[in-house]
Short mmCIF file of all heavy atoms in Angstrom, two decimals:
data_model
loop_
_atom_site.label_atom_id
_atom_site.label_comp_id
_atom_site.label_asym_id
_atom_site.label_seq_id
_atom_site.Cartn_x
_atom_site.Cartn_y
_atom_site.Cartn_z
N MET A 1 -8.61 -10.73 5.85
CA MET A 1 -8.66 -9.54 4.99
C MET A 1 -7.59 -8.55 5.42
O MET A 1 -7.50 -8.19 6.59
CB MET A 1 -10.05 -8.89 5.12
CG MET A 1 -10.27 -7.73 4.18
SD MET A 1 -10.42 -8.21 2.46
CE MET A 1 -12.15 -8.65 2.39
N HIS A 2 -6.78 -8.12 4.45
CA HIS A 2 -5.76 -7.12 4.73
C HIS A 2 -6.21 -5.78 4.15
O HIS A 2 -6.75 -5.73 3.06
CB HIS A 2 -4.42 -7.52 4.09
CG HIS A 2 -3.75 -8.66 4.79
ND1 HIS A 2 -4.25 -9.93 4.77
CD2 HIS A 2 -2.63 -8.70 5.54
CE1 HIS A 2 -3.45 -10.72 5.47
NE2 HIS A 2 -2.45 -9.99 5.95
N GLN A 3 -6.00 -4.73 4.91
CA GLN A 3 -6.40 -3.41 4.46
C GLN A 3 -5.20 -2.47 4.46
O GLN A 3 -4.42 -2.44 5.40
CB GLN A 3 -7.48 -2.85 5.38
CG GLN A 3 -7.99 -1.49 4.91
CD GLN A 3 -9.11 -0.95 5.78
OE1 GLN A 3 -8.95 -0.77 6.97
NE2 GLN A 3 -10.26 -0.74 5.17
N PHE A 4 -5.10 -1.71 3.37
CA PHE A 4 -4.07 -0.69 3.26
C PHE A 4 -4.73 0.67 3.27
O PHE A 4 -5.69 0.91 2.53
CB PHE A 4 -3.28 -0.87 1.95
CG PHE A 4 -2.34 0.26 1.65
CD1 PHE A 4 -1.09 0.32 2.25
CD2 PHE A 4 -2.69 1.24 0.75
CE1 PHE A 4 -0.21 1.37 1.97
CE2 PHE A 4 -1.82 2.29 0.46
CZ PHE A 4 -0.58 2.35 1.07
N GLN A 5 -4.22 1.56 4.10
CA GLN A 5 -4.67 2.94 4.11
C GLN A 5 -3.47 3.80 3.79
O GLN A 5 -2.49 3.82 4.57
CB GLN A 5 -5.25 3.28 5.48
CG GLN A 5 -5.42 4.77 5.77
CD GLN A 5 -6.84 5.26 5.52
OE1 GLN A 5 -7.79 4.67 6.01
NE2 GLN A 5 -6.97 6.31 4.74
N CYS A 6 -3.50 4.48 2.66
CA CYS A 6 -2.35 5.26 2.26
C CYS A 6 -2.06 6.36 3.28
O CYS A 6 -2.95 7.10 3.68
CB CYS A 6 -2.57 5.87 0.88
SG CYS A 6 -1.08 6.66 0.23
N GLY A 7 -0.82 6.45 3.70
CA GLY A 7 -0.45 7.43 4.71
C GLY A 7 -0.07 8.78 4.14
O GLY A 7 0.25 9.70 4.88
N HIS A 8 -0.10 8.88 2.82
CA HIS A 8 0.29 10.14 2.19
C HIS A 8 -0.76 11.21 2.44
O HIS A 8 -1.95 10.96 2.30
CB HIS A 8 0.44 9.92 0.68
CG HIS A 8 1.18 11.02 -0.02
ND1 HIS A 8 0.57 12.18 -0.42
CD2 HIS A 8 2.48 11.14 -0.38
CE1 HIS A 8 1.46 12.97 -1.00
NE2 HIS A 8 2.63 12.36 -0.99
N GLN A 9 -0.30 12.39 2.79
CA GLN A 9 -1.22 13.51 3.01
C GLN A 9 -2.01 13.76 1.74
O GLN A 9 -1.49 13.68 0.64
CB GLN A 9 -0.43 14.78 3.35
CG GLN A 9 -0.27 14.97 4.85
CD GLN A 9 0.35 16.33 5.17
OE1 GLN A 9 0.97 16.93 4.31
NE2 GLN A 9 0.17 16.77 6.39
N GLU A 10 -3.30 14.07 1.92
CA GLU A 10 -4.19 14.41 0.81
C GLU A 10 -4.45 13.25 -0.13
O GLU A 10 -4.95 13.42 -1.22
CB GLU A 10 -3.65 15.59 -0.01
CG GLU A 10 -3.50 16.86 0.79
CD GLU A 10 -2.72 17.94 0.04
OE1 GLU A 10 -2.41 17.72 -1.13
OE2 GLU A 10 -2.43 18.97 0.66
N CYS A 11 -4.07 12.05 0.26
CA CYS A 11 -4.37 10.90 -0.59
C CYS A 11 -5.45 10.07 0.09
O CYS A 11 -6.61 10.14 -0.27
CB CYS A 11 -3.12 10.06 -0.84
SG CYS A 11 -3.43 8.59 -1.84
N GLY A 12 -5.07 9.31 1.11
CA GLY A 12 -6.06 8.58 1.89
C GLY A 12 -6.73 7.44 1.16
O GLY A 12 -7.81 6.98 1.55
N SER A 13 -6.10 6.94 0.09
CA SER A 13 -6.68 5.80 -0.62
C SER A 13 -6.68 4.55 0.25
O SER A 13 -5.79 4.37 1.07
CB SER A 13 -5.89 5.51 -1.90
OG SER A 13 -6.04 6.56 -2.81
N GLN A 14 -7.68 3.74 0.04
CA GLN A 14 -7.79 2.48 0.79
C GLN A 14 -7.93 1.33 -0.18
O GLN A 14 -8.62 1.43 -1.18
CB GLN A 14 -9.03 2.50 1.69
CG GLN A 14 -8.87 3.32 2.94
CD GLN A 14 -10.08 3.16 3.86
OE1 GLN A 14 -10.87 2.25 3.68
NE2 GLN A 14 -10.20 4.04 4.82
N TYR A 15 -7.25 0.23 0.16
CA TYR A 15 -7.39 -1.00 -0.61
C TYR A 15 -7.57 -2.15 0.35
O TYR A 15 -7.00 -2.15 1.44
CB TYR A 15 -6.16 -1.27 -1.47
CG TYR A 15 -5.90 -0.20 -2.48
CD1 TYR A 15 -5.00 0.81 -2.22
CD2 TYR A 15 -6.56 -0.22 -3.70
CE1 TYR A 15 -4.76 1.81 -3.14
CE2 TYR A 15 -6.34 0.78 -4.63
CZ TYR A 15 -5.44 1.78 -4.35
OH TYR A 15 -5.22 2.78 -5.26
N THR A 16 -8.33 -3.12 -0.07
CA THR A 16 -8.42 -4.35 0.72
C THR A 16 -8.18 -5.53 -0.21
O THR A 16 -8.48 -5.48 -1.40
CB THR A 16 -9.80 -4.50 1.39
OG1 THR A 16 -10.81 -4.43 0.39
CG2 THR A 16 -10.04 -3.45 2.44
N ALA A 17 -7.63 -6.58 0.37
CA ALA A 17 -7.39 -7.80 -0.40
C ALA A 17 -7.41 -8.98 0.56
O ALA A 17 -7.22 -8.83 1.77
CB ALA A 17 -6.06 -7.74 -1.13
N ALA A 18 -7.65 -10.14 -0.01
CA ALA A 18 -7.77 -11.35 0.82
C ALA A 18 -6.43 -11.76 1.41
O ALA A 18 -6.37 -12.32 2.50
CB ALA A 18 -8.35 -12.49 0.00
N ASN A 19 -5.36 -11.48 0.69
CA ASN A 19 -4.05 -11.82 1.26
C ASN A 19 -3.06 -10.69 1.02
O ASN A 19 -3.27 -9.81 0.19
CB ASN A 19 -3.54 -13.16 0.74
CG ASN A 19 -3.24 -13.11 -0.74
OD1 ASN A 19 -2.34 -12.40 -1.17
ND2 ASN A 19 -4.02 -13.86 -1.53
N LYS A 20 -1.99 -10.74 1.76
CA LYS A 20 -1.05 -9.64 1.80
C LYS A 20 -0.34 -9.43 0.48
O LYS A 20 -0.11 -8.29 0.07
CB LYS A 20 -0.02 -9.90 2.91
CG LYS A 20 0.74 -8.68 3.33
CD LYS A 20 1.74 -9.01 4.43
CE LYS A 20 2.87 -9.84 3.86
NZ LYS A 20 3.83 -10.25 4.90
N ASP A 21 -0.01 -10.51 -0.21
CA ASP A 21 0.70 -10.36 -1.47
C ASP A 21 -0.14 -9.61 -2.50
O ASP A 21 0.37 -8.74 -3.21
CB ASP A 21 1.10 -11.73 -2.03
CG ASP A 21 2.24 -12.34 -1.23
OD1 ASP A 21 2.89 -11.61 -0.44
OD2 ASP A 21 2.49 -13.55 -1.40
N ASP A 22 -1.44 -9.96 -2.57
CA ASP A 22 -2.34 -9.24 -3.48
C ASP A 22 -2.40 -7.77 -3.11
O ASP A 22 -2.38 -6.90 -3.98
CB ASP A 22 -3.75 -9.83 -3.42
CG ASP A 22 -3.87 -11.13 -4.21
OD1 ASP A 22 -2.88 -11.50 -4.88
OD2 ASP A 22 -4.94 -11.75 -4.15
N LEU A 23 -2.50 -7.54 -1.82
CA LEU A 23 -2.61 -6.15 -1.36
C LEU A 23 -1.36 -5.36 -1.72
O LEU A 23 -1.46 -4.26 -2.25
CB LEU A 23 -2.84 -6.12 0.15
CG LEU A 23 -3.04 -4.73 0.75
CD1 LEU A 23 -4.34 -4.10 0.23
CD2 LEU A 23 -3.08 -4.80 2.27
N MET A 24 -0.20 -5.95 -1.47
CA MET A 24 1.02 -5.20 -1.71
C MET A 24 1.24 -4.94 -3.20
O MET A 24 1.86 -3.95 -3.57
CB MET A 24 2.23 -5.92 -1.10
CG MET A 24 2.20 -6.01 0.44
SD MET A 24 1.55 -4.56 1.32
CE MET A 24 3.00 -3.48 1.33
N SER A 25 0.73 -5.81 -4.07
CA SER A 25 0.87 -5.53 -5.50
C SER A 25 -0.06 -4.37 -5.90
O SER A 25 0.28 -3.56 -6.75
CB SER A 25 0.63 -6.78 -6.35
OG SER A 25 -0.68 -7.22 -6.25
N GLN A 26 -1.23 -4.30 -5.25
CA GLN A 26 -2.10 -3.14 -5.48
C GLN A 26 -1.45 -1.86 -4.96
O GLN A 26 -1.55 -0.80 -5.59
CB GLN A 26 -3.45 -3.31 -4.77
CG GLN A 26 -4.35 -4.36 -5.38
CD GLN A 26 -5.70 -4.42 -4.66
OE1 GLN A 26 -6.39 -3.43 -4.53
NE2 GLN A 26 -6.06 -5.61 -4.18
N VAL A 27 -0.78 -1.98 -3.84
CA VAL A 27 -0.10 -0.83 -3.25
C VAL A 27 1.01 -0.35 -4.18
O VAL A 27 1.15 0.86 -4.43
CB VAL A 27 0.46 -1.18 -1.86
CG1 VAL A 27 1.36 -0.06 -1.34
CG2 VAL A 27 -0.69 -1.42 -0.87
N ALA A 28 1.77 -1.28 -4.71
CA ALA A 28 2.86 -0.92 -5.63
C ALA A 28 2.30 -0.19 -6.85
O ALA A 28 2.88 0.80 -7.32
CB ALA A 28 3.63 -2.17 -6.04
N GLN A 29 1.18 -0.68 -7.36
CA GLN A 29 0.55 -0.03 -8.51
C GLN A 29 0.05 1.37 -8.13
O GLN A 29 0.19 2.32 -8.90
CB GLN A 29 -0.62 -0.90 -9.00
CG GLN A 29 -1.24 -0.41 -10.31
CD GLN A 29 -0.27 -0.50 -11.48
OE1 GLN A 29 0.41 -1.50 -11.66
NE2 GLN A 29 -0.18 0.56 -12.26
N HIS A 30 -0.50 1.48 -6.94
CA HIS A 30 -0.98 2.78 -6.46
C HIS A 30 0.17 3.77 -6.33
O HIS A 30 0.04 4.93 -6.71
CB HIS A 30 -1.68 2.59 -5.11
CG HIS A 30 -2.00 3.90 -4.44
ND1 HIS A 30 -2.96 4.76 -4.90
CD2 HIS A 30 -1.47 4.50 -3.33
CE1 HIS A 30 -3.01 5.84 -4.11
NE2 HIS A 30 -2.12 5.70 -3.15
N LEU A 31 1.29 3.31 -5.81
CA LEU A 31 2.45 4.19 -5.65
C LEU A 31 2.89 4.72 -7.01
O LEU A 31 3.25 5.89 -7.15
CB LEU A 31 3.61 3.43 -5.00
CG LEU A 31 3.42 3.03 -3.54
CD1 LEU A 31 4.61 2.20 -3.08
CD2 LEU A 31 3.26 4.24 -2.65
N LYS A 32 2.83 3.84 -8.01
CA LYS A 32 3.21 4.22 -9.36
C LYS A 32 2.24 5.24 -9.95
O LYS A 32 2.64 6.28 -10.46
CB LYS A 32 3.24 2.94 -10.23
CG LYS A 32 3.99 3.08 -11.51
CD LYS A 32 4.10 1.70 -12.15
CE LYS A 32 4.73 1.81 -13.52
NZ LYS A 32 4.84 0.47 -14.17
N ASP A 33 0.92 4.94 -9.83
CA ASP A 33 -0.09 5.80 -10.44
C ASP A 33 -0.25 7.12 -9.70
O ASP A 33 -0.39 8.17 -10.33
CB ASP A 33 -1.45 5.08 -10.43
CG ASP A 33 -1.47 3.88 -11.35
OD1 ASP A 33 -0.56 3.76 -12.20
OD2 ASP A 33 -2.39 3.06 -11.20
N ALA A 34 -0.25 7.08 -8.39
CA ALA A 34 -0.63 8.25 -7.61
C ALA A 34 0.57 9.04 -7.08
O ALA A 34 0.45 10.23 -6.83
CB ALA A 34 -1.52 7.84 -6.45
N HIS A 35 1.70 8.36 -6.91
CA HIS A 35 2.82 9.03 -6.26
C HIS A 35 4.11 9.00 -7.06
O HIS A 35 5.18 9.31 -6.53
CB HIS A 35 3.05 8.41 -4.88
CG HIS A 35 1.82 8.48 -4.00
ND1 HIS A 35 1.26 9.66 -3.59
CD2 HIS A 35 1.02 7.50 -3.51
CE1 HIS A 35 0.18 9.40 -2.85
NE2 HIS A 35 0.00 8.11 -2.79
N ASN A 36 4.01 8.61 -8.32
CA ASN A 36 5.17 8.61 -9.22
C ASN A 36 6.36 7.82 -8.68
O ASN A 36 7.51 8.19 -8.90
CB ASN A 36 5.61 10.05 -9.52
CG ASN A 36 4.52 10.83 -10.23
OD1 ASN A 36 3.94 10.33 -11.19
ND2 ASN A 36 4.23 12.03 -9.76
N VAL A 37 6.05 6.74 -7.97
CA VAL A 37 7.11 5.85 -7.51
C VAL A 37 7.18 4.68 -8.51
O VAL A 37 6.35 3.77 -8.47
CB VAL A 37 6.83 5.32 -6.09
CG1 VAL A 37 7.93 4.35 -5.65
CG2 VAL A 37 6.72 6.47 -5.12
N ASP A 38 8.15 4.76 -9.42
CA ASP A 38 8.22 3.76 -10.47
C ASP A 38 8.63 2.40 -9.96
O ASP A 38 8.14 1.38 -10.40
CB ASP A 38 9.19 4.20 -11.57
CG ASP A 38 8.51 5.13 -12.56
OD1 ASP A 38 7.27 5.06 -12.68
OD2 ASP A 38 9.22 5.94 -13.18
N LYS A 39 9.54 2.40 -9.03
CA LYS A 39 10.04 1.13 -8.53
C LYS A 39 10.09 1.16 -7.01
O LYS A 39 11.01 1.74 -6.43
CB LYS A 39 11.43 0.85 -9.11
CG LYS A 39 11.69 -0.62 -9.32
CD LYS A 39 12.89 -0.82 -10.25
CE LYS A 39 13.27 -2.29 -10.34
NZ LYS A 39 12.21 -3.12 -10.90
N ALA A 40 9.08 0.58 -6.39
CA ALA A 40 9.03 0.56 -4.94
C ALA A 40 10.05 -0.44 -4.41
O ALA A 40 10.06 -1.60 -4.81
CB ALA A 40 7.63 0.19 -4.47
N THR A 41 10.92 0.02 -3.54
CA THR A 41 11.95 -0.86 -2.99
C THR A 41 11.36 -1.75 -1.89
O THR A 41 10.29 -1.46 -1.34
CB THR A 41 13.09 -0.03 -2.37
OG1 THR A 41 12.55 0.77 -1.32
CG2 THR A 41 13.74 0.86 -3.41
N GLN A 42 12.08 -2.81 -1.57
CA GLN A 42 11.67 -3.68 -0.47
C GLN A 42 11.59 -2.90 0.83
O GLN A 42 10.71 -3.12 1.66
CB GLN A 42 12.66 -4.84 -0.32
CG GLN A 42 12.50 -5.92 -1.39
CD GLN A 42 11.14 -6.61 -1.32
OE1 GLN A 42 10.68 -6.96 -0.25
NE2 GLN A 42 10.49 -6.76 -2.46
N THR A 43 12.53 -1.97 0.99
CA THR A 43 12.54 -1.15 2.21
C THR A 43 11.26 -0.33 2.33
O THR A 43 10.63 -0.28 3.38
CB THR A 43 13.76 -0.21 2.19
OG1 THR A 43 14.93 -0.97 1.96
CG2 THR A 43 13.88 0.54 3.50
N LEU A 44 10.88 0.30 1.21
CA LEU A 44 9.67 1.11 1.21
C LEU A 44 8.44 0.23 1.45
O LEU A 44 7.58 0.58 2.27
CB LEU A 44 9.54 1.85 -0.13
CG LEU A 44 8.27 2.68 -0.31
CD1 LEU A 44 8.16 3.75 0.78
CD2 LEU A 44 8.23 3.33 -1.68
N MET A 45 8.37 -0.90 0.74
CA MET A 45 7.21 -1.77 0.91
C MET A 45 7.12 -2.31 2.34
O MET A 45 6.04 -2.42 2.90
CB MET A 45 7.26 -2.92 -0.10
CG MET A 45 7.17 -2.48 -1.55
SD MET A 45 5.77 -1.38 -1.91
CE MET A 45 4.44 -2.58 -2.01
N GLY A 46 8.26 -2.62 2.90
CA GLY A 46 8.28 -3.10 4.28
C GLY A 46 7.82 -2.04 5.26
O GLY A 46 7.07 -2.32 6.21
N TYR A 47 8.25 -0.82 4.98
CA TYR A 47 7.83 0.31 5.82
C TYR A 47 6.32 0.51 5.72
O TYR A 47 5.63 0.64 6.74
CB TYR A 47 8.58 1.56 5.38
CG TYR A 47 8.08 2.82 6.05
CD1 TYR A 47 8.42 3.10 7.38
CD2 TYR A 47 7.27 3.72 5.37
CE1 TYR A 47 7.94 4.25 8.00
CE2 TYR A 47 6.80 4.87 5.98
CZ TYR A 47 7.13 5.13 7.30
OH TYR A 47 6.65 6.26 7.90
N LEU A 48 5.81 0.52 4.51
CA LEU A 48 4.37 0.72 4.32
C LEU A 48 3.58 -0.41 4.95
O LEU A 48 2.52 -0.20 5.54
CB LEU A 48 4.04 0.82 2.83
CG LEU A 48 4.56 2.07 2.14
CD1 LEU A 48 4.31 1.99 0.65
CD2 LEU A 48 3.90 3.31 2.72
N GLU A 49 4.13 -1.62 4.82
CA GLU A 49 3.44 -2.77 5.38
C GLU A 49 3.30 -2.65 6.90
O GLU A 49 2.27 -3.00 7.47
CB GLU A 49 4.22 -4.04 5.01
CG GLU A 49 3.45 -5.32 5.26
CD GLU A 49 4.30 -6.53 4.91
OE1 GLU A 49 4.93 -6.52 3.83
OE2 GLU A 49 4.32 -7.46 5.71
N SER A 50 4.35 -2.13 7.53
CA SER A 50 4.30 -2.04 8.99
C SER A 50 3.54 -0.82 9.49
O SER A 50 3.06 -0.80 10.62
CB SER A 50 5.71 -2.04 9.56
OG SER A 50 6.41 -0.90 9.14
N THR A 51 3.38 0.21 8.65
CA THR A 51 2.73 1.43 9.11
C THR A 51 1.31 1.63 8.57
O THR A 51 0.51 2.28 9.20
CB THR A 51 3.55 2.68 8.74
OG1 THR A 51 3.77 2.69 7.34
CG2 THR A 51 4.88 2.69 9.47
N CYS A 52 1.03 1.07 7.40
CA CYS A 52 -0.25 1.39 6.73
C CYS A 52 -1.16 0.18 6.55
O CYS A 52 -2.29 0.33 6.09
CB CYS A 52 0.01 2.00 5.36
SG CYS A 52 0.97 3.52 5.42
N VAL A 53 -0.68 -1.01 6.84
CA VAL A 53 -1.49 -2.20 6.61
C VAL A 53 -2.03 -2.74 7.93
O VAL A 53 -1.29 -2.87 8.90
CB VAL A 53 -0.66 -3.30 5.90
CG1 VAL A 53 -1.46 -4.61 5.80
CG2 VAL A 53 -0.24 -2.85 4.52
N THR A 54 -3.33 -2.99 7.94
CA THR A 54 -3.95 -3.62 9.10
C THR A 54 -4.62 -4.91 8.65
O THR A 54 -5.04 -5.04 7.51
CB THR A 54 -4.98 -2.71 9.76
OG1 THR A 54 -5.91 -2.27 8.79
CG2 THR A 54 -4.32 -1.50 10.41
N VAL A 55 -4.69 -5.85 9.55
CA VAL A 55 -5.34 -7.12 9.26
C VAL A 55 -6.72 -7.13 9.92
O VAL A 55 -6.83 -6.96 11.13
CB VAL A 55 -4.50 -8.31 9.77
CG1 VAL A 55 -5.17 -9.64 9.43
CG2 VAL A 55 -3.10 -8.25 9.19
N GLN A 56 -7.74 -7.30 9.09
CA GLN A 56 -9.11 -7.34 9.58
C GLN A 56 -9.51 -8.79 9.80
O GLN A 56 -9.09 -9.66 9.06
CB GLN A 56 -10.06 -6.72 8.55
CG GLN A 56 -9.63 -5.34 8.05
CD GLN A 56 -9.76 -4.27 9.11
OE1 GLN A 56 -10.61 -4.37 9.99
NE2 GLN A 56 -8.93 -3.25 9.03
N PRO A 57 -10.35 -9.02 10.79
CA PRO A 57 -10.80 -10.38 11.03
C PRO A 57 -11.67 -10.93 9.88
O PRO A 57 -12.29 -10.16 9.20
CB PRO A 57 -11.61 -10.29 12.30
CG PRO A 57 -11.89 -8.86 12.53
CD PRO A 57 -10.87 -8.07 11.77
ZN1 ZN B 1 -1.64 7.22 -1.88
#
């Protein structure tokens, strides 16, 4: 189980998914809906993946 915790101040949204690809597509959608990021770059996604994603047993 992969978990994403949004690092944006005053947001704090959490998502979980069985695999990382599913999670990151939810994250991309969240960035679009909540943070007006129309096109998340690989750099941004990589950054979020390393800072906001944890792997649960
Ligand atoms: Zn957020």
Side-chain angles (χ1 to χ4, degrees):
M1 186 70 84
H2 288 68
Q3 183 178 59
F4 171 81
Q5 164 98 51
C6 188
H8 195 277
Q9 268 188 340
E10 299 169 6
C11 178
S13 293
Q14 283 187 15
Y15 298 96
T16 55
N19 66 65
K20 197 180 70 183
D21 287 346
D22 282 355
L23 183 65
M24 294 323 278
S25 66
Q26 289 183 55
V27 171
Q29 188 64 46
H30 170 70
L31 292 176
K32 197 172 174 180
D33 293 344
H35 302 296
N36 298 313
V37 178
D38 277 335
K39 212 164 173 62
T41 60
Q42 284 297 315
T43 307
L44 177 59
M45 296 309 281
Y47 172 76
L48 291 174
E49 193 181 314
S50 64
T51 56
C52 301
V53 174
T54 53
V55 181
Q56 310 290 331

